[in-house]
């Protein structure tokens, strides 16, 4: 077993966490935690930083030292009261994650440099801000200037909303996305907002070819935009669309059979009135 997998399993069990609970704390899926512990996958750098920050240790110590032999390090997650058990930070009732009063938000518990948010605050990036977001998406001072709002029906998580351009069915709608931290989690045929170096911020239906070619195949719902393939080296961020907010309602689909039946009924009624 590698040090990373050993340390990950040790920290999780030391604090009495299931793989699902540990995954919630580091912002990933349970299956990923299992893969890390069984050495079927290596945690990405961002995940390593999150784990190290959660337990108040350095990334170097996490990947280079056997933490089972380290006695002078506090290996209790930040914000967790060991007297009441590891679940006092989050309440997992009915599958929902809810912050209890007086506790830091998930993102702030992991990274003190992140702007403070409460609940499911969704930061909004308008079209006129796209170019600035491309170069300042990691700039905390810029992120603090963004308008935010809440959508109470969304599960707890990290979200951003992007104002849709003509590549979405309802131009001007707000596309609300959840950050995808692992490229392998990008699912075929689902809808994403992609923040890219060459194409800017775009909405596309995505097909994952990362394992095969290190690329994504992008398909647009608007025929004006041809399908294209981009390298993952061109991708800055990927946000899976979870909801959208629009002031435009969908046009009703027209049934020609119903129209024909209506015309026939009108003709019949006119003929009856003439008699």
């Amino acid at each position: 077993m590698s040090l990373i997998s050993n340390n990950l399993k040790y920290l999780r069990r030391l604090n009495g966490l299931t793989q699902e609970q540990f995954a919630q704390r580091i912002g990933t899926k349970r299956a990923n935690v299992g893969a890390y512990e069984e050495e079927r996958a290596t945690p990405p750098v961002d995940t390593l930083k999150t784990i190290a920050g959660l337990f108040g240790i350095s990334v170097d110590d996490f990947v280079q030292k056997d933490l089972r032999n380290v006695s002078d390090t506090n290996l209790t997650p930040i914000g967790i009261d060991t007297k009441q058990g590891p679940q006092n930070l989050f309440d997992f009732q009915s599958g929902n994650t809810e912050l209890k009063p007086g506790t830091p938000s998930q993102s702030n518990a992991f990274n003190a440099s992140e702007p403070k948010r409460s609940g499911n605050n969704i930061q909004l990036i308008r079209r006129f801000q796209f170019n600035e977001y491309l170069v300042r998406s990691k700039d905390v001072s810029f992120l603090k200037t963004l308008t935010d709002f809440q959508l109470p029906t969304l599960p707890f998580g990290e979200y951003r909303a992007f104002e849709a351009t003509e590549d979405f069915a309802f131009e001007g709608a707000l596309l609300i996305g959840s950050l995808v931290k692992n490229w392998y989690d990008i699912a075929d045929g689902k809808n994403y907002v992609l923040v890219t170096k060459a194409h800017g911020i775009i909405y596309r239906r995505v097909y994952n070819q990362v394992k095969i070619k290190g690329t994504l195949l992008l398909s647009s719902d608007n025929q004006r935009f041809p399908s294209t393939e981009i390298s993952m080296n061109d991708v800055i961020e990927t946000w899976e669309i979870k909801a959208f907010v629009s002031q435009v309602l969908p046009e009703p689909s027209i049934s020609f059979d119903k129209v024909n039946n209506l015309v026939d009924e009108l003709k019949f009624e006119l003929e009856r009135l003439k008699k």
Side-chain angles (χ1 to χ4, degrees), residues 23 29 74 83 87 109 119 140 148 155 196-197 210 217 219 260:
K29 296 181 179 179
N74 178 11
K83 294 180 181 179
Q87 290 192 21
V140 174
D148 59 23
T196 71
K197 300 173 186 176
V210 173
L217 180 62
S219 174
N260 289 331

Side-chain angles (χ1 to χ4, degrees), residues 22 40 50 58 65-66 73 89 102 138 156 162 165 167 177 182 191 201 204 263-264 273:
F22 193 83
R40 291 182 284 107
T50 297
S58 69
K65 293 182 180 180
D66 188 340
T73 302
L89 180 57
K138 306 300 182 185
F156 185 86
F162 299 83
T165 64
D167 56 5
N182 188 332
N191 303 303
I201 298 176
R204 292 291 189 275
V263 171
D264 290 340
L273 292 173

Side-chain angles (χ1 to χ4, degrees), residues 115-134:
K116 293 182 180 179
R117 308 181 189 115
S118 61
N120 274 330
N121 278 9
I122 304 167
Q123 293 177 301
L124 171 61
I125 297 91
R126 303 292 301 274
R127 290 175 67 169
F128 69 86
Q129 297 172 305
F130 278 12
N131 289 337
E132 187 172 11
Y133 185 82
L134 287 172

Side-chain angles (χ1 to χ4, degrees), residues 2-46:
S2 72
L3 282 176
I4 292 177
S5 59
N6 268 333
N7 287 339
L8 187 63
K9 187 179 296 184
Y10 173 66
L11 291 176
R12 179 176 65 78
R13 291 178 174 175
L14 179 68
N15 290 276
L17 301 173
T18 65
Q19 288 186 344
E20 180 66 33
Q21 292 166 343
F22 193 83
Q24 289 278 355
R25 282 160 173 75
I26 65 174
T28 188
K29 296 181 179 179
R30 186 211 61 77
N32 290 339
V33 173
Y36 301 153
E37 290 187 355
E38 297 168 13
E39 294 187 273
R40 291 182 284 107
T42 301
V45 174
D46 287 347

Side-chain angles (χ1 to χ4, degrees), residues 264-275:
D264 290 340
E265 289 176 8
L266 289 173
K267 287 181 178 179
F268 176 79
E269 186 66 18
L270 288 172
E271 291 295 330
R272 187 183 69 80
L273 292 173
K274 287 179 181 179
K275 292 179 181 180

